[in-house]
Amino acid sequence: MENIFKNIPERLPEELIEKISGDDKKGITIERILSRGQASPPGFWYNQEKDEFVILVAGKAGLLFKDPEETVEMSAGDHITIPAGRPHRVEWTSDTEDSIWLAVHY
């Protein structure tokens, strides 16, 4: 058994993405993502081939979407499904607390 709140590095110079479960045959990946003040690099957009369900388990963050443009501010407990092919980026994460994400790519 594991715990999503355990084994968080004391220093987090860049966002940490860890695969915690999944089924490669079915094309499902579950990740824990740890952020502490990180954001997507300037001009970088995620544009994924799979849908992504993401829940912010702890912390605060802002996402920016294209087509149509939309800004979403997230707090602990908020979740969203990002359809495949919709460009998005992490605009900001809290630099005063850990932002812990659970992402399911399917």
Side-chain angles (χ1 to χ4, degrees):
M1 183 172 72
E2 300 288 331
N3 186 307
I4 200 163
F5 298 107
K6 302 288 183 188
N7 301 320
I8 296 174
E10 190 173 310
R11 294 191 65 241
L12 199 61
E14 53 188 51
E15 190 171 66
L16 178 62
I17 301 172
E18 303 171 311
K19 180 179 176 180
I20 58 174
S21 190
D23 185 330
D24 293 334
K25 291 180 184 175
K26 294 182 181 178
I28 299 169
T29 303
I30 302 171
E31 300 170 330
R32 176 178 81 160
I33 304 169
L34 304 173
S35 308
R36 192 179 301 138
Q38 287 86 10
S40 298
F44 175 84
W45 293 89
Y46 291 99
N47 193 350
Q48 301 165 162
E49 295 180 7
K50 296 179 180 179
D51 291 339
E52 177 183 9
F53 169 83
V54 64
I55 183 168
L56 190 61
V57 179
K60 295 183 177 121
L63 301 177
L64 178 63
F65 293 89
K66 274 187 177 179
D67 305 324
E69 187 168 310
E70 176 184 14
T71 301
V72 176
E73 290 193 19
M74 298 181 71
S75 296
D78 292 340
H79 57 86
I80 191 167
T81 299
I82 303 169
R86 185 165 189 207
H88 62 284
R89 54 180 282 113
V90 178
E91 279 292 284
W92 59 269
T93 59
S94 176
D95 60 359
T96 60
E97 62 186 319
D98 292 333
S99 294
I100 303 173
W101 311 76
L102 183 70
V104 180
H105 301 269
Y106 59 98

